[in-house]
mmCIF file with all atom_site columns, all heavy atoms in Angstrom:
data_model
loop_
_atom_site.group_PDB
_atom_site.id
_atom_site.type_symbol
_atom_site.label_atom_id
_atom_site.label_alt_id
_atom_site.label_comp_id
_atom_site.label_asym_id
_atom_site.label_entity_id
_atom_site.label_seq_id
_atom_site.pdbx_PDB_ins_code
_atom_site.Cartn_x
_atom_site.Cartn_y
_atom_site.Cartn_z
_atom_site.occupancy
_atom_site.B_iso_or_equiv
_atom_site.pdbx_formal_charge
_atom_site.auth_seq_id
_atom_site.auth_comp_id
_atom_site.auth_asym_id
_atom_site.auth_atom_id
_atom_site.pdbx_PDB_model_num
ATOM 1  N N   . ILE A 1 310 ? -27.548 -32.591 15.951 1.00 0.00 ? 310 ILE A N   1
ATOM 2  C CA  . ILE A 1 310 ? -26.203 -32.268 15.613 1.00 0.00 ? 310 ILE A CA  1
ATOM 3  C C   . ILE A 1 310 ? -25.566 -31.377 16.611 1.00 0.00 ? 310 ILE A C   1
ATOM 4  O O   . ILE A 1 310 ? -26.055 -30.282 16.863 1.00 0.00 ? 310 ILE A O   1
ATOM 5  C CB  . ILE A 1 310 ? -26.140 -31.631 14.184 1.00 0.00 ? 310 ILE A CB  1
ATOM 6  C CG1 . ILE A 1 310 ? -26.666 -32.630 13.155 1.00 0.00 ? 310 ILE A CG1 1
ATOM 7  C CG2 . ILE A 1 310 ? -24.616 -31.289 13.883 1.00 0.00 ? 310 ILE A CG2 1
ATOM 8  C CD1 . ILE A 1 310 ? -26.819 -31.992 11.777 1.00 0.00 ? 310 ILE A CD1 1
ATOM 9  N N   . ASP A 1 311 ? -24.475 -31.893 17.226 1.00 0.00 ? 311 ASP A N   1
ATOM 10 C CA  . ASP A 1 311 ? -23.744 -31.065 18.218 1.00 0.00 ? 311 ASP A CA  1
ATOM 11 C C   . ASP A 1 311 ? -22.731 -30.249 17.472 1.00 0.00 ? 311 ASP A C   1
ATOM 12 O O   . ASP A 1 311 ? -21.576 -30.659 17.204 1.00 0.00 ? 311 ASP A O   1
ATOM 13 C CB  . ASP A 1 311 ? -23.090 -31.944 19.212 1.00 0.00 ? 311 ASP A CB  1
ATOM 14 C CG  . ASP A 1 311 ? -22.415 -31.182 20.351 1.00 0.00 ? 311 ASP A CG  1
ATOM 15 O OD1 . ASP A 1 311 ? -22.297 -29.957 20.216 1.00 0.00 ? 311 ASP A OD1 1
ATOM 16 O OD2 . ASP A 1 311 ? -22.059 -31.777 21.366 1.00 0.00 ? 311 ASP A OD2 1
ATOM 17 N N   . ARG A 1 312 ? -23.114 -28.965 17.124 1.00 0.00 ? 312 ARG A N   1
ATOM 18 C CA  . ARG A 1 312 ? -22.250 -28.127 16.271 1.00 0.00 ? 312 ARG A CA  1
ATOM 19 C C   . ARG A 1 312 ? -21.079 -27.598 17.056 1.00 0.00 ? 312 ARG A C   1
ATOM 20 O O   . ARG A 1 312 ? -20.035 -27.336 16.436 1.00 0.00 ? 312 ARG A O   1
ATOM 21 C CB  . ARG A 1 312 ? -23.079 -27.058 15.615 1.00 0.00 ? 312 ARG A CB  1
ATOM 22 C CG  . ARG A 1 312 ? -24.098 -27.645 14.618 1.00 0.00 ? 312 ARG A CG  1
ATOM 23 C CD  . ARG A 1 312 ? -24.934 -26.579 13.994 1.00 0.00 ? 312 ARG A CD  1
ATOM 24 N NE  . ARG A 1 312 ? -26.046 -26.185 14.749 1.00 0.00 ? 312 ARG A NE  1
ATOM 25 C CZ  . ARG A 1 312 ? -27.073 -25.378 14.355 1.00 0.00 ? 312 ARG A CZ  1
ATOM 26 N NH1 . ARG A 1 312 ? -26.969 -24.880 13.111 1.00 0.00 ? 312 ARG A NH1 1
ATOM 27 N NH2 . ARG A 1 312 ? -28.063 -25.138 15.116 1.00 0.00 ? 312 ARG A NH2 1
ATOM 28 N N   . ARG A 1 313 ? -21.181 -27.502 18.331 1.00 0.00 ? 313 ARG A N   1
ATOM 29 C CA  . ARG A 1 313 ? -19.955 -27.094 19.148 1.00 0.00 ? 313 ARG A CA  1
ATOM 30 C C   . ARG A 1 313 ? -18.890 -28.243 19.102 1.00 0.00 ? 313 ARG A C   1
ATOM 31 O O   . ARG A 1 313 ? -17.750 -28.003 19.077 1.00 0.00 ? 313 ARG A O   1
ATOM 32 C CB  . ARG A 1 313 ? -20.406 -26.803 20.583 1.00 0.00 ? 313 ARG A CB  1
ATOM 33 C CG  . ARG A 1 313 ? -21.264 -25.549 20.746 1.00 0.00 ? 313 ARG A CG  1
ATOM 34 C CD  . ARG A 1 313 ? -20.469 -24.309 20.291 1.00 0.00 ? 313 ARG A CD  1
ATOM 35 N NE  . ARG A 1 313 ? -21.346 -23.058 20.236 1.00 0.00 ? 313 ARG A NE  1
ATOM 36 C CZ  . ARG A 1 313 ? -20.994 -22.041 19.691 1.00 0.00 ? 313 ARG A CZ  1
ATOM 37 N NH1 . ARG A 1 313 ? -19.785 -21.888 19.106 1.00 0.00 ? 313 ARG A NH1 1
ATOM 38 N NH2 . ARG A 1 313 ? -21.792 -20.987 19.684 1.00 0.00 ? 313 ARG A NH2 1
ATOM 39 N N   . GLU A 1 314 ? -19.420 -29.453 19.127 1.00 0.00 ? 314 GLU A N   1
ATOM 40 C CA  . GLU A 1 314 ? -18.432 -30.545 19.018 1.00 0.00 ? 314 GLU A CA  1
ATOM 41 C C   . GLU A 1 314 ? -17.790 -30.626 17.659 1.00 0.00 ? 314 GLU A C   1
ATOM 42 O O   . GLU A 1 314 ? -16.598 -30.932 17.562 1.00 0.00 ? 314 GLU A O   1
ATOM 43 C CB  . GLU A 1 314 ? -19.140 -31.867 19.282 1.00 0.00 ? 314 GLU A CB  1
ATOM 44 C CG  . GLU A 1 314 ? -18.192 -33.081 19.344 1.00 0.00 ? 314 GLU A CG  1
ATOM 45 C CD  . GLU A 1 314 ? -18.870 -34.392 19.603 1.00 0.00 ? 314 GLU A CD  1
ATOM 46 O OE1 . GLU A 1 314 ? -20.089 -34.536 19.333 1.00 0.00 ? 314 GLU A OE1 1
ATOM 47 O OE2 . GLU A 1 314 ? -18.159 -35.340 20.069 1.00 0.00 ? 314 GLU A OE2 1
ATOM 48 N N   . LEU A 1 315 ? -18.520 -30.153 16.663 1.00 0.00 ? 315 LEU A N   1
ATOM 49 C CA  . LEU A 1 315 ? -17.913 -30.092 15.319 1.00 0.00 ? 315 LEU A CA  1
ATOM 50 C C   . LEU A 1 315 ? -16.775 -29.104 15.338 1.00 0.00 ? 315 LEU A C   1
ATOM 51 O O   . LEU A 1 315 ? -15.793 -29.293 14.754 1.00 0.00 ? 315 LEU A O   1
ATOM 52 C CB  . LEU A 1 315 ? -18.943 -29.692 14.262 1.00 0.00 ? 315 LEU A CB  1
ATOM 53 C CG  . LEU A 1 315 ? -20.066 -30.665 13.995 1.00 0.00 ? 315 LEU A CG  1
ATOM 54 C CD1 . LEU A 1 315 ? -21.003 -30.086 12.865 1.00 0.00 ? 315 LEU A CD1 1
ATOM 55 C CD2 . LEU A 1 315 ? -19.553 -32.017 13.483 1.00 0.00 ? 315 LEU A CD2 1
ATOM 56 N N   . HIS A 1 399 ? -23.526 -38.395 15.168 1.00 0.00 ? 399 HIS A N   1
ATOM 57 C CA  . HIS A 1 399 ? -24.570 -37.673 15.838 1.00 0.00 ? 399 HIS A CA  1
ATOM 58 C C   . HIS A 1 399 ? -25.929 -38.183 15.440 1.00 0.00 ? 399 HIS A C   1
ATOM 59 O O   . HIS A 1 399 ? -26.841 -38.366 16.264 1.00 0.00 ? 399 HIS A O   1
ATOM 60 C CB  . HIS A 1 399 ? -24.480 -36.195 15.513 1.00 0.00 ? 399 HIS A CB  1
ATOM 61 C CG  . HIS A 1 399 ? -23.227 -35.524 16.030 1.00 0.00 ? 399 HIS A CG  1
ATOM 62 N ND1 . HIS A 1 399 ? -22.881 -34.246 15.714 1.00 0.00 ? 399 HIS A ND1 1
ATOM 63 C CD2 . HIS A 1 399 ? -22.329 -35.979 17.022 1.00 0.00 ? 399 HIS A CD2 1
ATOM 64 C CE1 . HIS A 1 399 ? -21.802 -33.924 16.375 1.00 0.00 ? 399 HIS A CE1 1
ATOM 65 N NE2 . HIS A 1 399 ? -21.412 -34.895 17.121 1.00 0.00 ? 399 HIS A NE2 1
#
Side-chain angles (χ1 to χ4, degrees):
I310 299 171
D311 186 347
R312 291 180 277 186
R313 293 295 173 195
E314 186 179 21
L315 293 181
H399 291 173

